[in-house]
């Protein structure tokens, strides 16, 4: 069936793109820790290209769902569409979809880690700018609870 072949092509491209992005994000974390600004800029450019590719894949997925609806296979996800198809290739594709979901979870976790790192770096930078602006003196205002007493807190994986 033509729809299954198109979904298979989509799954192949999507899996490759997700894996490429995960590898890039893992490298980016190492570069962030090493504070290599030049390499970080290179990785950011590559990440932008992959993000653009993922956006195109979202459009492709929408077209696949529309095409499946025109064929009478109603579903809000490709997984639902594949359950309605009687093609043997659909069974193989349904087996691959959990792998894509695991890659998505790994991507969310890696992105969350990098968000935490970047937020802490931004906070540290802001504190350093304040210290420089005040000439090393304490703030002239009084606070009930100074904001600088935080020790970071726990990291929560919001995807789980």
């Amino acid at each position: 069936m033509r729809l299954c072949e198109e979904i298979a092509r989509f799954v192949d491209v999507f899996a490759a793109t997700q894996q490429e992005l995960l590898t890039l994000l893992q490298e980016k974390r190492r570069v962030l820790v090493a504070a290599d600004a030049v390499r970080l800029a290179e990785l950011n450019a590559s990440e932008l290209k992959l993000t653009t590719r993922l956006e195109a894949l979202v459009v492709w997925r929408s077209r696949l769902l529309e095409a499946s609806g025109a064929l009478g296979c109603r579903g809000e996800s490709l997984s639902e569409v594949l359950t309605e198809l009687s093609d043997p290739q659909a069974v193989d594709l349904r087996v691959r979809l959990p792998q894509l979901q695991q890659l998505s979870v790994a991507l969310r976790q890696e992105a969350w880690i990098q968000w935490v790192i970047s937020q802490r770096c931004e906070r540290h930078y802001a504190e350093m700018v304040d210290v420089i602006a005040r000439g090393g003196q304490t703030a002239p205002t009084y606070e009930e609870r100074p904001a600088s007493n935080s020790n970071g807190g726990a990291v929560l994986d919001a995807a789980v």
Side-chain angles (χ1 to χ4, degrees):
M1 175 176 251
R2 173 101 170 91
L3 180 61
C4 270
E5 292 170 7
E6 189 68 18
I7 291 174
R9 280 189 38 232
F10 170 81
V11 167
D12 290 340
V13 173
F14 186 58
T17 304
Q18 279 189 313
Q19 186 59 56
E20 192 174 343
L21 183 59
L22 181 59
T23 302
L24 182 134
L25 289 177
Q26 290 168 340
E27 173 66 17
K28 187 176 175 183
R29 181 173 17 145
R30 287 189 286 276
V31 168
L32 280 168
V33 170
D36 184 350
V38 174
R39 180 70 178 132
L40 185 60
E42 294 169 1
L43 290 174
N44 283 338
S46 297
E47 184 178 2
L48 182 60
K49 290 177 186 174
L50 286 171
T51 303
T52 303
R53 195 181 324 161
L54 283 174
E55 290 170 354
L57 286 169
V58 168
V59 172
W60 186 5
R61 177 187 173 273
S62 296
R63 289 184 183 148
L64 286 172
L65 290 173
E66 289 173 11
S68 66
L71 294 174
C73 297
R74 302 270 178 220
E76 294 184 17
S77 69
L78 292 178
S79 181
E80 291 175 6
V81 169
L82 289 171
T83 57
E84 293 186 27
L85 294 175
S86 59
D87 192 310
Q89 190 176 17
V91 175
D92 295 334
L93 288 170
R94 279 193 304 250
V95 170
R96 290 187 60 199
L97 292 181
Q99 296 167 344
L100 292 177
Q101 291 169 339
Q102 289 173 347
L103 273 174
S104 292
V105 168
L107 281 168
R108 280 194 303 270
Q109 289 173 340
E110 191 63 40
W112 182 259
I113 290 167
Q114 289 184 26
W115 182 85
V116 169
I117 291 171
S118 65
Q119 291 301 307
R120 288 192 180 171
C121 288
E122 186 274 335
R123 183 174 175 196
H124 176 72
Y125 176 75
E127 288 173 1
M128 296 308 298
V129 168
D130 285 344
V131 167
I132 292 168
R134 291 188 312 262
Q137 301 297 317
T138 57
T141 59
Y142 297 98
E143 296 179 7
E144 185 178 321
R145 274 189 256 144
S148 61
N149 285 349
S150 173
N151 59 6
V155 175
L156 171 67
D157 181 5
V160 177

